Amino acid sequence: MTSTLTEYPRPARAEDVPALMALRTEAEVWLSSKGTDQWSDPETGAKAIAKWRASIDEKRAWVVVDSGKVLGTVSRGPVDRDFWTDEDRPETAFHLYKLVVARQAAGRHLGARLVDWASRLAAMEGRDWVRIDTWRTNEGLHSYYERLGFRHVRTESPSHRLSGWLAQRPTTALSLPKLPLTVGPPREDRSTPIPSRRIPMD
């Protein structure tokens, strides 16, 4: 099966922003069909673009592509101080953000494989955890991450945020170890290691 895999991650570029927003728009519609209000605020679109551009400029955003088409994205970021405290030892964690996968990629397990990819990168950096914060009311998403091995840490509810369901997974836990995403297109050596770029989490 691995010989047929053609998708691979690469750093996101400024020209990817329209594709990233298309992914987000598609996700908004899908989330609405599932009965959740996540990303339903029309004002968040411009904010999302600005955040993605900043993540790209800071080299924290990645996309998964296949035949030139963006099928998914994930970002890493600094510790969110609305949720995580010094007692959580933020330096021990990789903070994962903006995991979005195109509906047309259903069945490829790209979400789980992207989380595994982040886990491998975090382990290479000497970190112990991959951490997430998700929409507090999106119980379906909570269950998804729990199926991937994340354990709920706690829920924070700051008045100015709708996210706050906090969870983490050890970097040693992989959902699909036999289906790794590796950097570089298929014509390159698919054993190419993931480049490590340690970013301060504080």
Side-chain angles (χ1 to χ4, degrees):
M1 182 176 180
T2 56
S3 63
T4 65
L5 298 179
T6 56
E7 61 272 3
Y8 64 94
R10 64 162 171 77
R13 306 163 183 158
E15 57 266 31
D16 293 321
V17 170
L20 292 172
M21 288 307 299
L23 283 178
R24 180 189 167 97
T25 299
E26 182 185 56
E28 289 174 0
V29 174
W30 184 77
L31 287 166
S32 178
S33 74
K34 297 295 181 181
T36 176
D37 62 349
Q38 184 169 343
W39 292 352
S40 61
D41 183 351
E43 294 184 0
T44 61
K47 294 179 183 177
I49 291 175
K51 288 182 177 179
W52 254 318
R53 289 192 183 281
S55 295
I56 290 169
D57 290 344
E58 294 165 10
K59 303 186 187 305
R60 294 189 288 105
W62 290 73
V63 292
V64 174
V65 298
D66 188 0
S67 300
K69 184 174 181 60
V70 174
L71 295 179
T73 183
V74 72
S75 297
R76 68 179 302 169
V79 58
D80 192 324
R81 290 296 182 174
D82 281 341
F83 304 134
W84 303 98
T85 68
D86 288 341
E87 287 71 27
D88 296 311
R89 298 184 62 212
E91 73 281 358
T92 66
F94 178 110
H95 290 262
L96 185 147
Y97 297 97
K98 295 185 179 69
L99 175 63
V100 189
V101 174
R103 301 309 304 158
Q104 76 175 73
R108 298 195 191 190
H109 307 290
L110 283 186
R113 293 164 65 202
L114 274 168
V115 174
D116 283 358
W117 178 85
S119 293
R120 288 187 173 97
L121 175 54
M124 288 175 62
E125 294 181 342
R127 303 187 192 274
D128 300 321
W129 306 100
V130 172
R131 286 179 176 159
I132 57 172
D133 66 81
T134 71
W135 210 258
R136 293 195 296 269
T137 60
N138 192 341
E139 295 181 359
L141 187 58
H142 305 166
S143 296
Y144 171 76
Y145 279 114
E146 287 174 334
R147 290 194 298 273
L148 295 185
F150 283 81
R151 298 194 66 177
H152 181 224
V153 175
R154 63 180 179 272
T155 298
E156 299 284 354
S157 303
S159 60
H160 62 294
R161 302 288 296 274
L162 293 172
S163 188
W165 187 86
L166 310 183
Q168 63 186 17
R169 188 180 85 169
T171 56
T172 54
L174 301 176
S175 300
L176 297 168
K178 294 183 179 180
L179 291 177
L181 285 169
T182 53
V183 176
R187 66 179 178 273
E188 297 180 1
D189 178 8
R190 291 191 65 85
S191 65
T192 302
I194 302 167
S196 176
R197 180 184 292 113
R198 190 177 181 94
I199 295 177
M201 294 291 106
D202 299 312

